[in-house]
């Protein structure tokens, strides 16, 4: 889906990038995955200019960084919404009706996995098991866990997030 | 203070004894693992702090997960001379009242799970049971006697829920780091390896490779050797490794230190799943505390043994649980497995000899060193020694983590410990081993659980997830679910796995949509056999297991989908519809009120009717009806 954050308008803070790459992770290419995680934490996604900059700093080709960024499911090359909904599709949640919760979310938000609503309010992501199986089916909105969910509770939960 | 000898440990242990077993005043221990926090433990903890932190004789503390997840938030309240009471479902609105009741010796029976008979772990048999002199409260069962705990033997989970995971003193007070110092000062590397070999300990992450043999072969190869802890617990439905890291991180660290001594390594790594932020946080604290105590770093305990550890976080790739993929990911690369003509114990991480075990395996090591390999080998079966932690989840009453001796039968786990299936539904199968495992049907419930027996019925031990399924679970849909998972997670470099899984998934999806045809089952079997034989790594070779076992044990469900175009469990939407049984419908109207489509109508106290043209088969009515009046046709 489209997004109101346009990449062109994004100003990268190179001092912050330097701090992450040099101080936190010692310019070490073995730390690539964790550097990407730190960048994503700062910007909510992986801005392409940041990846080009990183490539030069740690001496790893952009192609390889792109490979890593697309191989691992945590990373997003697109800007994400203000609230991240992670729906657990682990086996325990699946047998307890996780799919139906997933359908309800897709239906109410009108987006599929990995997409962001047009008002930039929510990004829907599916994850495989958060390890809270006793509470299944579970969704996580940002850092909040919502367990033992029923389909008719979704709307009121979503309304709590702006 | 730097620890240099067992005498130092003794001093800390003595000083910390009262904190654990005879606190000055009342001590409230809130179970604060991820699952407890999700169930409201953080709010309970905060409320208790708010209400009681100014009172000098009450302290509020955190512990790890005590295992009975269904009952979270779990809170234990203890005081000298009084019973140790375990409260269940103690949400923030109840905690103050529970504490006040405890203070007044007026225990809230409804909220109490039981009282603890003996808080010691298996290593603390050199001290008397601190709870022995206390007169038990009448009318409250002992925690150790309730069915969920009665059959458990806690070795890997020995400290989870019994101590503050952020406190190295409490770990030492429960005889932590004694095994490491024993190994460091009294044992040769060969002694350590011999002990582990005698114990019969096998890898708890899935493969089940004998740990002692792995250590021995790694030690034989020269170069910079690495000790790696696989905490990339990816099997959906398994969370024992998270629980151990969150509840007892030092036990894993100690296991790695002993492995480093045995193998001769200076550098260790934790590879932790990105979904486990709390585990990472507790590990960081544990590492810092161990460094401060001189148990980690250079010249440990004044010897010339040095060992450093680093934490790396995964980024959401199931295949990185495979050893070669994990090591590639540790190097900051894409996590693709390689063929193992040369094993990782010879050339693994940075091309050096690398020893990889998972969290639970390392947590078992200290007790083996302290109590001896023979002691560990006295539990379990001929080929599977010791205990195993299982996560009991899905359609089961007592969801939770349980640690039982190998060889216990499935029925004892599912019905004895787990309390059977909720809402009087019929038990159908238990799925073990995650996406690489299989579904075991009701008629095989007497099966003793060990590596070999599970393999004989087409499943695997895996990391210990047990997902219980009932009559409402469609086995074809479960097979489709796992293949969908594996299709997403296949790294894509070998053809049989990448294309084979996709083809199998397409067939299964078409069966679930009502487009299955004769010959599909045979085609699935043929494809499955091909993928098993020719895939590069364990992900591919085990991928067909969920499909092949469900075909083996639930062929009739596949045939119902293909021939009769019916989904007997009422999951595959194209193959069933709901009807209201007028004999059973009381006209209470609760389904009609909840139906998002307004498809259910009827007069009060008279049987209702369902408009099939409006129904979207969301299942809300089926879940809502208390009279079983909604039926699947």
């Amino acid at each position: 889906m489209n997004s109101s954050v346009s990449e062109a308008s994004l100003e990268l803070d190179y001092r912050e990038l330097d701090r992450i790459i040099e101080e936190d992770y010692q310019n070490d290419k073995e730390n690539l995955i964790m550097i990407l995680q730190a960048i994503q934490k700062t910007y909510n996604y992986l801005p392409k200019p940041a990846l080009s900059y990183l490539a030069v700093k740690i001496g790893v080709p952009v192609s390889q960084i792109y490979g890593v960024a697309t191989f691992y499911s945590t990373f997003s090359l697109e800007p994400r919404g203000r609230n991240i909904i992670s729906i657990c599709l682990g086996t325990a949640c699946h047998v307890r009706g996780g799919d139906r919760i997933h359908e309800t979310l897709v239906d109410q938000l009108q987006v599929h996995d990995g997409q962001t609503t047009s008002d930039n309010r929510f990004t829907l992501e599916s994850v495989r098991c958060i390890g809270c199986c006793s509470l299944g089916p579970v969704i996580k909105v940002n850092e909040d866990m919502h367990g033992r969910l029923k389909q008719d509770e979704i709307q009121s939960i979503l309304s709590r997030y702006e | 203070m730097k620890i240099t000898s067992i005498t130092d440990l003794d001093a800390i242990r003595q000083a910390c004894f009262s904190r654990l077993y005879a606190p000055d005043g009342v001590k409230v221990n809130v179970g604060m693992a991820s699952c407890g926090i999700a169930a409201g433990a953080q709010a309970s903890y905060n409320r208790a702090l708010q209400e009681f932190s100014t009172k000098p004789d009450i302290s509020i503390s955190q512990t790890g997960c005590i295992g009975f997840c269904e009952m979270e938030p779990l809170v234990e309240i203890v005081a000298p001379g009084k019973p140790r009471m375990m409260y269940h479902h103690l949400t923030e609105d109840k905690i103050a009242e529970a504490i006040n009741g405890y203070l007044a010796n007026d225990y809230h029976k409804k909220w109490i799970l039981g009282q603890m008979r003996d808080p010691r772990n298996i290593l603390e048999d050199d001290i008397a049971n601190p709870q022995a002199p206390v007169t038990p409260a009448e009318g409250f069962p002992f925690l150790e006697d309730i069915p969920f705990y009665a059959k458990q033997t806690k070795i890997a989970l020995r400290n989870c829920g019994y101590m503050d995971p952020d406190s190295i003193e409490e770990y030492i007070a429960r005889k932590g780091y004694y095994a490491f110092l024993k190994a460091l000062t009294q044992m040769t590397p060969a002694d350590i390896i011999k002990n582990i070999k005698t114990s019969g300990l096998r890898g708890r992450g899935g493969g089940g490779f004998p740990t002692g043999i792995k250590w021995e072969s790694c030690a034989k190869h020269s170069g910079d050797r690495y000790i790696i802890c696989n905490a990339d617990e990816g099997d959906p439905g398994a969370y024992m490794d998270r629980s151990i890291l969150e509840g007892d991180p030092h036990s894993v660290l100690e296991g790695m230190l002993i492995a480093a001594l045995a193998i001769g390594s200076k550098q260790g790594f934790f590879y932790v799943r990105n979904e486990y932020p709390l585990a990472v946080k507790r590990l960081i604290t544990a590492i810092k505390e161990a460094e401060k105590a001189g148990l980690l770093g250079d010249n440990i305990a004044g010897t010339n043994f040095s060992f450093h550890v680093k934490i790396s976080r995964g980024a959401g790739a199931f295949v990185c649980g495979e050893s070669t993929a994990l090591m590639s990911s540790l190097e900051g690369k894409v996590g693709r497995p390689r063929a193992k003509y040369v094993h990782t114990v010879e050339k693994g991480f940075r091309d050096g000899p690398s020893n990889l075990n998972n969290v639970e395996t390392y947590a078992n090591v200290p007790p083996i060193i302290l109590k001896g390999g023979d002691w560990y080998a006295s539990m379990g079966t001929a080929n599977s020694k010791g205990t195993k932690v299982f996560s009991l989840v899905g359609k089961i009453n007592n969801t939770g983590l349980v640690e039982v001796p190998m060889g216990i039968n499935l029925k004892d786990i599912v019905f004895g410990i787990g309390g059977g299936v909720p809402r009087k539904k019929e038990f159908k199968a238990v799925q073990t081993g995650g996406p690489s495992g299989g579904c075991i049907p009701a008629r095989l419930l007497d099966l003793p659980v060990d590596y070999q027996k599970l393999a004989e019925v087409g499943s695997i031990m895996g990391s210990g997830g047990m997902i219980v399924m009932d009559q409402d679970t469609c086995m074809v849909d479960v097979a489709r679910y796992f293949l969908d998972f594996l299709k997403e997670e296949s790294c894509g470099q070998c053809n049989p796995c990448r294309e084979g899984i996709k083809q199998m998934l397409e067939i299964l999806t078409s069966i679930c949509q009502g487009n299955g045809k004769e010959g599909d089952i045979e085609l699935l079997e043929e494809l499955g056999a091909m993928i098993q034989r020719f895939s590069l790594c364990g992900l591919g070779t085990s991928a067909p297991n969920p499909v092949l076992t469900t075909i083996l044990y639930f062929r009739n469900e596949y045939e119902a989908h293909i021939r009769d175009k019916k989904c007997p469990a009422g999951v595959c939407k194209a193959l069933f519809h709901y009807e209201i049984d007028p004999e059973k419908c009381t006209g209470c109207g609760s389904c009609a009120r909840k139906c998002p489509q307004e498809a259910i109508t009827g007069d009060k106290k008279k049987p209702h009717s369902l408009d099939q043209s409006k129904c979207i088969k969301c299942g809300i009515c089926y879940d809502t009806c208390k009279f079983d009046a909604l039926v699947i046709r």
Side-chain angles (χ1 to χ4, degrees):
Chain A
M1 294 292 268
N2 56 347
S3 163
S4 61
V5 181
S6 94
E7 263 201 78
S9 68
L10 182 90
E11 291 248 355
L12 282 183
D13 178 352
Y14 287 95
R15 269 178 307 182
E16 172 66 9
L17 278 178
D18 282 344
R19 200 192 55 72
I20 293 172
I21 301 167
E22 288 167 16
E23 285 176 35
D24 292 354
Y25 295 103
Q26 300 84 42
N27 278 328
D28 186 348
K29 54 179 107 166
E30 267 184 15
N31 290 331
L32 173 61
I33 293 169
M34 287 189 287
I35 297 174
L36 291 178
Q37 280 164 343
I39 295 175
Q40 175 150 308
K41 202 171 175 195
T42 309
Y43 296 102
N44 206 16
Y45 77 110
L46 296 176
K48 289 200 183 82
L51 300 187
S52 313
Y53 185 69
L54 173 64
V56 177
K57 291 284 286 188
I58 61 172
V60 173
V62 180
S63 58
Q64 202 175 317
I65 295 183
Y66 182 79
V68 168
T70 50
F71 181 84
Y72 295 97
S73 64
T74 322
F75 299 122
S76 172
L77 294 166
E78 304 286 324
R80 300 189 296 170
R82 294 192 296 280
N83 302 290
I84 313 283
I85 305 174
S86 310
I87 166 135
C88 180
L89 295 179
T91 324
C93 286
H94 179 79
V95 302
R96 287 194 187 186
D99 263 5
R100 287 173 176 175
I101 304 290
H102 190 213
E103 277 169 25
T104 311
L105 280 169
V106 169
D107 193 46
Q108 291 196 3
L109 299 170
Q110 290 293 308
V111 289
H112 286 283
D113 282 2
Q115 294 181 335
T116 303
T117 54
S118 51
D119 58 359
N120 227 30
R121 190 167 154 213
F122 292 109
T123 295
L124 179 63
E125 294 179 348
S126 59
V127 292
R128 303 288 189 170
C129 200
I130 326 182
C132 291
C133 306
S134 61
L135 298 172
V138 175
I139 63 169
K140 197 171 97 177
V141 186
N142 306 329
E143 294 306 311
D144 312 332
M145 210 74 86
H146 302 276
R148 297 198 178 101
L149 271 183
K150 302 221 164 68
Q151 285 151 282
D152 47 359
E153 295 166 352
I154 302 274
Q155 197 152 25
S156 81
I157 289 173
L158 295 187
S159 68
R160 289 179 228 164
Y161 298 90
E162 257 321 301
Chain B
M1 164 187 164
K2 296 276 183 197
I3 293 162
T4 56
S5 66
I6 287 177
T7 322
D8 293 342
L9 290 178
D10 283 337
I12 294 174
R13 196 174 167 212
Q14 252 161 13
C16 197
F17 178 87
S18 63
R19 196 153 105 199
L20 280 179
Y21 301 127
D24 288 340
V26 174
K27 191 164 172 238
V28 180
N29 298 318
V30 185
M32 300 268 274
S34 291
C35 44
I37 291 173
Q42 184 73 52
S44 295
Y45 182 84
N46 293 349
R47 175 65 69 89
L49 269 187
Q50 197 186 340
E51 302 256 342
F52 298 98
S53 62
T54 52
K55 306 227 165 98
D57 53 346
I58 297 181
S59 60
I60 317 289
S61 183
Q62 61 165 2
T63 68
C65 168
I66 183 88
F68 205 162
C69 307
E70 194 67 37
M71 299 288 173
E72 299 273 16
L74 283 163
V75 176
E76 189 194 30
I77 309 184
V78 297
K82 289 178 77 167
R84 297 179 75 100
M85 289 293 194
M86 184 67 74
Y87 292 73
H88 63 88
H89 294 112
L90 208 59
T91 40
E92 57 172 328
D93 51 321
K94 296 179 194 157
I95 193 161
E97 199 184 330
I99 296 172
N100 284 324
Y102 185 89
L103 290 171
N105 296 329
D106 174 21
Y107 310 118
H108 289 74
K109 194 154 190 175
K110 262 199 212 159
W111 301 345
I112 288 175
L113 193 61
Q115 53 185 324
M116 203 179 283
R117 180 183 285 130
D118 184 353
R120 293 174 304 165
N121 70 22
I122 36 130
L123 304 178
E124 296 176 276
D125 45 11
D126 55 346
I127 57 166
N129 173 13
Q131 234 12 57
V134 177
T135 319
E138 250 180 69
F140 295 91
F142 282 109
L143 212 54
E144 290 88 340
D145 294 339
I146 65 171
F148 183 79
Y149 290 110
K151 288 197 167 154
Q152 295 199 46
T153 307
K154 294 195 171 195
I155 299 175
L157 297 178
R158 62 193 176 279
N159 295 326
C160 283
Y162 294 88
M163 50 161 262
D164 180 353
D166 285 337
S167 163
I168 191 170
E169 291 89 4
E170 291 191 15
Y171 178 69
I172 291 170
R174 291 178 67 85
K175 262 198 131 172
Y177 289 113
Y178 277 75
F180 168 58
L181 280 196
K182 179 184 171 188
L184 182 68
T185 55
Q186 299 163 22
M187 294 170 85
T188 64
D191 286 342
I192 301 172
I193 289 173
K194 193 170 161 238
N195 242 295
I196 301 294
K197 278 170 85 175
T198 311
S199 76
L201 177 66
R202 294 171 65 171
R204 296 291 190 246
F209 191 83
T211 307
I213 295 178
K214 193 186 260 186
W215 289 17
E216 190 176 49
S217 29
C218 189
K220 271 185 202 153
H221 294 287
S222 53
D224 284 340
R225 302 186 194 93
Y226 300 102
I227 301 291
I228 305 169
C229 175
N230 184 350
D232 191 49
E233 186 176 45
D235 281 1
Y239 55 99
M240 56 287 294
D241 290 352
R242 170 178 69 69
S243 192
I244 294 172
L245 287 177
E246 288 176 356
D248 192 15
H250 286 286
S251 69
V252 188
L253 211 49
E254 189 180 359
M256 287 172 76
L257 276 162
I258 294 168
L261 269 178
I263 292 166
S265 165
K266 291 184 189 131
Q267 181 68 55
F269 290 88
F270 281 96
Y271 186 86
V272 192
R273 239 183 128 203
N274 193 41
E275 286 83 352
Y276 290 172
L278 185 61
V280 171
K281 197 174 146 224
R282 298 232 164 112
L283 256 183
I284 291 173
T285 309
I287 290 169
K288 277 190 191 149
E289 293 260 295
E291 282 170 347
K292 239 194 297 177
L295 295 169
L296 206 56
D298 291 323
N299 301 102
I300 294 171
T303 66
N304 56 11
F305 171 65
S306 302
F307 189 63
H308 296 264
V309 291
K310 181 182 162 186
I311 301 173
S312 271
R313 276 173 297 139
F318 175 71
V319 73
C320 287
E322 198 276 344
S323 59
T324 57
L326 186 150
M327 289 175 198
S328 169
S329 183
L330 263 186
E331 291 169 3
K333 296 178 190 151
V334 164
R336 286 205 186 95
R338 62 160 173 82
K340 290 192 209 167
Y341 305 116
V342 180
H343 287 284
T344 50
V345 288
E346 187 181 343
K347 274 186 177 192
F349 178 64
R350 293 178 188 160
D351 271 347
S354 308
N355 178 75
L356 178 87
N357 292 120
N358 88 326
V359 171
E360 191 186 334
T361 314
Y362 283 124
N364 273 304
V365 167
I368 292 173
I369 294 300
L370 268 191
K371 292 178 83 86
D374 292 322
W375 161 80
Y376 195 79
S378 68
M379 289 168 284
T381 63
N383 61 66
S384 309
K385 302 298 184 192
T387 55
K388 174 81 191 88
V389 185
F390 293 102
S391 56
L392 215 45
V393 300
K395 303 286 189 70
I396 184 116
N397 276 313
N398 301 336
T399 304
L401 280 186
V402 301
E403 182 169 1
V404 288
M406 294 274 193
I408 186 173
N409 69 36
L410 273 175
K411 195 188 276 167
D412 279 343
I413 299 180
V414 174
F415 288 92
I417 296 173
V421 177
R423 297 179 65 184
K424 293 184 186 153
K425 303 262 180 176
E426 198 184 319
F427 171 84
K428 187 186 270 185
V430 56
Q431 204 277 342
T432 72
S436 314
C439 294
I440 302 167
R443 66 182 164 85
L444 292 177
L445 267 178
D446 287 326
L447 188 83
V449 177
D450 74 10
Y451 288 97
Q452 195 174 335
K453 296 282 180 201
L454 284 171
E456 280 169 16
V457 299
S459 190
I460 59 165
M461 179 77 77
S463 50
M466 279 196 178
I467 295 106
V468 177
M469 298 167 180
D470 70 0
Q471 63 189 69
D472 292 338
T473 313
C474 168
M475 301 315 283
V476 186
D477 173 70
V478 165
R480 186 200 57 76
Y481 163 81
F482 279 117
L483 281 200
D484 182 50
F485 178 98
L486 291 161
K487 187 205 75 173
E488 291 293 319
E489 298 298 343
S490 169
C491 81
Q493 64 179 332
C494 81
N495 240 319
C497 176
R498 184 187 66 237
E499 297 301 326
I501 292 176
K502 195 168 154 233
Q503 294 306 320
M504 284 180 87
L505 177 62
E506 274 178 22
I507 297 169
L508 282 165
T509 308
S510 89
I511 295 175
C512 290
Q513 285 169 346
N515 302 320
K517 48 187 191 298
E518 289 297 329
D520 276 356
I521 299 178
E522 292 72 20
L523 192 55
L524 283 172
E525 289 173 325
E526 191 188 331
L527 273 167
M530 182 278 295
I531 298 170
Q532 279 181 331
R533 189 155 167 219
F534 296 109
S535 294
L536 175 73
C537 80
L539 188 148
T541 52
S542 61
N545 288 356
V547 185
L548 297 179
T549 53
T550 47
I551 292 177
L552 180 63
Y553 300 119
F554 301 95
R555 200 178 184 103
N556 56 339
E557 282 196 38
Y558 279 84
E559 287 167 352
H561 281 71
I562 295 169
R563 287 185 198 147
D564 313 333
K565 305 293 173 200
K566 294 275 177 222
C567 175
V571 173
C572 304
K573 284 191 175 176
L575 299 177
F576 78 98
H577 63 272
Y578 290 112
E579 277 176 18
I580 296 176
D581 182 349
E583 305 273 305
K584 287 186 177 165
C585 180
T586 62
C588 74
S590 51
C591 60
R593 278 192 297 278
K594 285 201 169 172
C595 176
Q597 296 299 104
E598 297 176 352
I600 300 174
T601 48
D603 294 329
K604 244 188 187 170
K605 296 191 179 170
K606 290 201 175 132
H608 281 40
S609 61
L610 170 65
D611 183 347
Q612 296 295 343
S613 65
K614 286 185 184 168
C615 179
I616 54 166
K617 299 173 190 171
C618 66
I620 292 179
C621 55
Y622 183 77
D623 292 336
T624 304
C625 183
K626 290 194 178 101
F627 309 98
D628 295 330
L630 262 300
V631 285
I632 294 159
R633 292 269 192 257

